[in-house]
Amino acid sequence: MRSLRTLLLCAAVLTVVGVSRATTVVPPDFADLAADSDYVVRGRIKSLRNEIVVREGREVPFTHVEVEVRDVVAGTPPAKVVLRVLGGQTSDGRELRVEGVPAFTVGDEHILFVKGNGTNFYPLKGVMHGIYPVKFDKKLGREYIARANSVPLSSTAEVGLPLAGGKTAMMLSRLRTADDALTPAEFIQSVREARAAGKEGGLSRAK
């Protein structure tokens, strides 16, 4: 991962055009996602606050994303979880956003795999592969887990697959139902089991 200084310099250039090129990330497998995250939480997006950092005479906007934690899934998060994400508005109203990176909306609920907050430009493990929206199906009356592209997640094995976009994602969303998807409780339990297995494996290798 690039250093924060390098990212700031890149962002300074991007503020001129407003939008970067699409972000491509190799998806982590589920075991790596669970084990390598600093901490994992289920939470609701409480607020968004813009911050402008000046580097070499250029404004680089960041968004502070405050998360109201509902459940600590793994690890030890700080008492107040505020994610610092590259992107936002400059003082003259221009917008910097990293194309292909999920945006946060107040009120939405997610399971978040936090990695490198304050250092990485998008502080989730695997970028878009580290955010899992919690959705509710009114007809079935049940919550379910989706991927960042809103496609229902039916198995943790799908975590390591590339994220479909555009029309493909829309088609997959229609083909799958909430009844096919993991519930938050099922997904959280799988995360905790994978995290525990990862720690045991690490201890075994250390011996």
Side-chain angles (χ1 to χ4, degrees), residues 108-194:
D108 284 356
E109 189 171 338
H110 306 278
I111 293 177
L112 303 167
F113 293 77
V114 181
K115 177 74 173 179
N117 188 27
T119 303
N120 295 341
F121 81 98
Y122 194 81
L124 298 181
K125 171 69 178 178
V127 190
M128 67 285 289
H129 301 286
I131 179 171
Y132 291 84
V134 178
K135 295 182 175 291
F136 183 78
D137 187 284
K138 293 182 180 179
K139 290 183 179 179
L140 294 174
R142 76 190 291 268
E143 291 182 323
Y144 67 96
I145 296 295
R147 300 187 75 190
N149 58 1
S150 295
V151 175
L153 182 75
S154 60
S155 167
T156 56
E158 297 171 2
V159 166
L161 299 176
L163 273 169
K167 293 182 179 179
T168 302
M170 291 176 62
M171 180 184 69
L172 289 172
S173 296
R174 286 195 291 265
L175 289 174
R176 292 186 180 178
T177 67
D179 199 37
D180 298 325
L182 295 173
T183 65
E186 290 170 337
F187 188 60
I188 286 171
Q189 181 60 31
S190 294
V191 173
R192 288 173 173 161
E193 290 174 357

Side-chain angles (χ1 to χ4, degrees), residues 35-153:
D36 196 44
S37 298
D38 296 334
Y39 56 87
V40 185
V41 296
R42 175 182 177 174
R44 185 183 67 86
I45 305 305
K46 184 176 181 180
S47 67
L48 304 174
R49 180 175 63 83
N50 199 65
E51 175 198 17
I52 297 174
V53 176
V54 178
R55 289 288 185 273
E56 299 186 0
R58 295 181 182 274
E59 294 184 351
V60 183
F62 286 83
T63 299
H64 289 246
V65 182
E66 184 177 356
V67 181
E68 181 182 352
V69 176
R70 291 190 54 186
D71 190 6
V72 176
V73 178
T76 306
K80 185 176 182 180
V81 175
V82 181
L83 306 179
R84 190 169 186 256
V85 180
L86 177 65
Q89 286 194 336
T90 58
S91 59
D92 60 2
R94 289 182 297 172
E95 183 181 5
L96 167 67
R97 59 185 178 85
V98 183
E99 189 177 351
V101 170
F104 291 96
T105 301
V106 172
D108 284 356
E109 189 171 338
H110 306 278
I111 293 177
L112 303 167
F113 293 77
V114 181
K115 177 74 173 179
N117 188 27
T119 303
N120 295 341
F121 81 98
Y122 194 81
L124 298 181
K125 171 69 178 178
V127 190
M128 67 285 289
H129 301 286
I131 179 171
Y132 291 84
V134 178
K135 295 182 175 291
F136 183 78
D137 187 284
K138 293 182 180 179
K139 290 183 179 179
L140 294 174
R142 76 190 291 268
E143 291 182 323
Y144 67 96
I145 296 295
R147 300 187 75 190
N149 58 1
S150 295
V151 175
L153 182 75

